[in-house]
Amino acid sequence: MTRTMKVAAVAQPGAPLEIVEREVPRAGAGQIVVKVQACGICHSDSLTVDGTWPGIEYPRVPGHEIAGVIEEIGEGVVGWEAGQRVGVGWYGGHCGHCDRCRRGDLVLCENGMVPGVSYDGGYAEYVQVPAQTLARIPESLADVDAAPLLCAGITTFNALRNSGVRPGEVVAVLGLGGLGHLAVQYAAKLGFETVAIARGQEKGDYARELGAHHYIDSTAENVAERLTALGGAKIVLATVTSGKAMSDAFGGLAVDGKMMVLGIADSPIEINSAQAIMGRRSVQGWPSGVAADSEDTLAFSARSGVRPQIEVYPLEKAAEAYARMLSGQARFRVVLQP
């Protein structure tokens, strides 16, 4: 008898998410079928829903923050067992033959794949993925907590640990949203003097609960001046989507300081060239990471107590959950649970 499952799919660009029945996929060579236990809803899922990512084939099931258990293992796959808890994030596989892959930079593969974009993702009861995308989930980490860490978590954690900043130095996190509230936790747990920057004085207490040592209200204070008074930020982790907010923070970098851009800005980032030259200050973008980076993120989060703040919806309410994410009112990550 053919097994079926429920998925939340988009029939065409701009169409609503609808619950439909599909056959449960089978694991082909080099692939694994995962039974989805939780899937985070990321703003990047709008690339699929709105059709703004070129080349998407429809209908398509979104979702790239997938936590689940291995259901079936395809031919040629080694190192994994049925029933094992695994996660899949933005990194959905690499080609292995482009110049970037040959140099080991798999996350920037010229032919790289993304779950929910290149193939059906985690808004479903089951998902079929390349075995190379899997990360182990620690037993102490709940599925609904693990899912957002596979995108928002790895992006902030991996950026910090690759930034060159050392424990004790000042790290400023610009924004306290889905990425920012995790970045503050990671920065504090990693031993950095952590500064949270957000809009409104009322967010100060929450920032300190997350581990921030200092809070800057960008609506009432000059961000660059406050950071300079603290000795300057070695790293500004820009998790917001405001180009102006990033521009305003650049002057608060220390000598050899770096702004690491994680959010897609709504406008260009403007920097003072004299500040850049005379302080050797720089701006660098950072993508998420590969499966091993996801695994490191999950392991560190489990050990250190870093957890996302989430709102959980059943799969049947995927359209409502997606709208909640788009509204900007969610605190802070929305998670689907089949």
Side-chain angles (χ1 to χ4, degrees), residues 98-173:
C98 72
D99 186 63
R100 293 174 183 173
C101 283
R102 292 179 62 222
R103 296 180 184 276
D105 200 357
L106 307 182
V107 73
L108 293 179
C109 168
E110 295 172 14
N111 305 296
M113 295 181 288
V114 180
V117 177
S118 310
Y119 50 84
D120 284 341
Y123 290 18
E125 294 179 311
Y126 295 88
V127 63
Q128 177 196 66
V129 297
Q132 62 192 202
T133 66
L134 297 185
R136 296 172 180 84
I137 298 178
E139 288 303 318
S140 60
L141 201 57
D143 294 309
V144 291
D145 290 331
L149 297 179
L150 290 157
C151 182
I154 179 182
T155 300
T156 51
F157 177 75
N158 212 27
L160 278 172
R161 69 174 184 168
N162 284 284
S163 67
V165 67
R166 297 183 295 182
E169 293 182 321
V170 176
V171 167
V173 177

Side-chain angles (χ1 to χ4, degrees), residues 254-331:
V255 171
D256 291 320
K258 184 191 303 179
M259 175 173 287
M260 299 195 77
V261 179
L262 308 184
I264 304 295
D266 57 6
S267 58
I269 303 170
E270 299 180 0
I271 63 173
N272 183 307
S273 58
Q275 290 176 332
I277 294 169
M278 301 309 296
R280 290 193 299 262
R281 301 174 178 94
S282 60
V283 177
Q284 178 184 4
W286 192 264
S288 57
V290 295
D293 298 315
S294 289
E295 200 162 292
D296 291 346
T297 301
L298 295 171
F300 181 86
S301 301
R303 286 194 303 268
S304 64
V306 173
R307 297 292 187 274
Q309 186 170 334
I310 59 174
E311 298 179 6
V312 181
Y313 286 74
L315 177 63
E316 289 78 7
K317 293 187 177 181
E320 179 183 338
Y322 179 78
R324 174 68 172 169
M325 178 279 297
L326 282 183
S327 73
Q329 300 302 308
R331 293 292 180 267

